[in-house]
Amino acid sequence: HNSGAKTMVPFLNPFTGTSSSASSSSSSSRSSVLALLGTRILVGLYSLNPIRLFFLVIVGIFLMQRTLSSIQRHKVWTLAPIANIDRDCPQPSYPTLESAKTKRPKEKICLTTLTDEKDKAFATRLVGWRNFDGLLKLTWDNKQNYAKKHGYFLFDESDQLDKSRPPSWSKIRAVNRLLNEENCTWVYWLDADTVIMNSEKRIEAFLPSVPSLDLLLSVDDGGGYNAGAWLVHNTPWARQFLQEWWDMRSFVKVPGLAKSGDNDALKYKLQNEFGDEETFNEHILAPPRCTFNSYVKFIAPSMYAAVAQTIKEQDFYMAEAYYHRGDFVAHVAGVDNKVETLKMLLKAAK
């Protein structure tokens, strides 16, 4: 036996059961078969009538889109460990109705939401990425119980739906109606995928007592503002702002896409018309997101143990934007499996 000599051991191909020497000789034949098959497919497609070929491509794209959408809607998530960690959201840096010493007439505070479940546009039914069906019913009692507890008014404004646009745009019409017809002093818009997590918190605790302030927004990722939860004062300035936002038709996306365009329109309007801090602060407040619109962090169940062990190293730990136990409202934004994720939050709501 020569210890210095290397013995070549054939590698068994797990897919074919043949050794590397045998598979190497057959790999060229397999490549030839695949090449021939590909050539035949291309020749077949080339020989098709252009109209039939176009139809096949469209059908293929549609089936792929529906498959990917279905996968996303059924993806399994679990709440990140921060959902069980207490965190005190910073107090407002401005005078609030709750802290005001001077007595004022009781404000009529209205909460509202809507969905397109009952009157969905055809394009949304056909190719919609996200499904909001059942969400309003699922979260309604949570919002209704909160409104009754504090003497607020809750409105389902699904009748305000404009089917020529993605449903997210109709929030502007809904809020405008409440300002003009229901005489609400303040209107708190809440997307259907939001949950009141801490019913002890009152809206007056973050509403400004300064009459000239008209709009409360929460900062979004990338320097924008999130249109999923916001509050507006019943003033001429606010009503004009809403009308101008609605009139930004160039931002309206095709119904059924993941993005509606209303957030982009809001960001553009604020950056271009309220670019300097003085003009912005004259009418608008942007308190920490945890004040009334905490973003919920979900992770894959398989990652939970590892994330829990390194929780203090995570960028979302104690971050003001992310939901922690004790925050007022949790918003399931950017997640397609809405029903199951909302059920998790409803179980934890107090």
Side-chain angles (χ1 to χ4, degrees), residues 279-319:
T279 305
F280 185 93
N281 293 337
E282 187 177 350
H283 293 280
I284 305 170
L285 284 172
R289 183 161 179 170
C290 55
T291 305
F292 59 85
N293 185 20
S294 297
Y295 177 76
V296 185
K297 180 65 177 179
F298 290 98
I299 58 175
S302 59
M303 295 176 56
Y304 189 90
V307 171
Q309 291 177 355
T310 59
I311 189 62
K312 292 186 178 180
E313 301 172 14
Q314 304 298 326
D315 58 358
F316 49 80
Y317 177 72
M318 292 296 165

Side-chain angles (χ1 to χ4, degrees), residues 98-339:
E98 191 173 73
S99 64
K101 295 181 180 179
T102 57
K103 291 186 177 181
R104 297 177 52 174
K106 183 174 176 58
E107 311 279 342
K108 182 178 180 181
I109 299 175
C110 303
L111 293 79
T112 186
T113 188
L114 63 77
T115 66
D116 64 343
E117 182 174 359
K118 295 180 180 179
D119 196 17
K120 198 185 297 288
F122 175 75
T124 304
R125 292 187 184 278
L126 188 65
V127 296
W129 276 97
R130 291 173 181 166
N131 187 1
F132 283 75
D133 289 356
L135 300 194
L136 190 145
K137 182 179 180 180
L138 182 64
T139 61
W140 183 260
D141 286 347
N142 168 266
K143 295 180 175 71
Q144 182 74 288
N145 292 337
Y146 174 74
K148 288 181 177 179
K149 182 175 183 177
H150 296 290
Y152 305 144
F153 300 84
L154 177 64
F155 295 86
D156 174 6
E157 291 295 297
S158 298
D159 291 341
Q160 294 298 311
L161 192 70
D162 182 341
K163 291 200 295 182
S164 69
R165 304 184 183 203
S168 184
W169 279 91
S170 293
K171 67 182 72 173
I172 304 172
R173 290 184 63 181
V175 171
N176 238 338
R177 192 196 76 79
L178 296 180
L179 295 176
N180 290 296
E181 298 180 20
E182 300 294 339
N183 297 315
C184 301
T185 313
W186 283 89
V187 177
Y188 184 7
W189 167 264
L190 289 163
D191 276 0
D193 58 351
T194 55
V195 175
I196 307 291
M197 299 300 296
N198 187 346
S199 66
E200 295 301 316
K201 290 184 177 289
R202 294 177 58 86
I203 296 174
E204 291 91 340
F206 57 84
L207 283 181
S209 59
V210 180
S212 61
L213 288 169
D214 304 286
L215 186 63
L216 267 70
L217 299 169
S218 54
V219 178
D220 207 352
D221 296 334
Y225 296 88
N226 185 267
W230 43 278
L231 298 98
V232 64
H233 199 185
N234 196 344
T235 64
W237 183 93
R239 291 192 294 272
Q240 181 180 348
F241 181 91
L242 292 175
Q243 186 60 53
E244 292 174 355
W245 183 10
W246 176 261
D247 290 339
M248 299 175 72
R249 293 179 177 83
S250 62
F251 286 87
V252 177
K253 304 292 185 183
V254 176
L257 299 180
K259 290 191 175 184
S260 302
D262 56 305
N263 250 359
D264 293 334
L266 178 64
K267 179 179 179 180
Y268 181 87
K269 183 173 179 60
L270 291 173
Q271 289 183 343
N272 285 271
E273 298 181 21
F274 303 90
D276 63 282
E277 187 174 348
E278 184 178 351
T279 305
F280 185 93
N281 293 337
E282 187 177 350
H283 293 280
I284 305 170
L285 284 172
R289 183 161 179 170
C290 55
T291 305
F292 59 85
N293 185 20
S294 297
Y295 177 76
V296 185
K297 180 65 177 179
F298 290 98
I299 58 175
S302 59
M303 295 176 56
Y304 189 90
V307 171
Q309 291 177 355
T310 59
I311 189 62
K312 292 186 178 180
E313 301 172 14
Q314 304 298 326
D315 58 358
F316 49 80
Y317 177 72
M318 292 296 165
E320 292 179 356
Y322 288 95
Y323 172 75
H324 289 64
R325 186 169 57 196
D327 284 358
F328 178 33
V329 170
H331 185 190
V332 183
V335 177
D336 295 318
N337 189 352
K338 299 283 187 183
V339 172

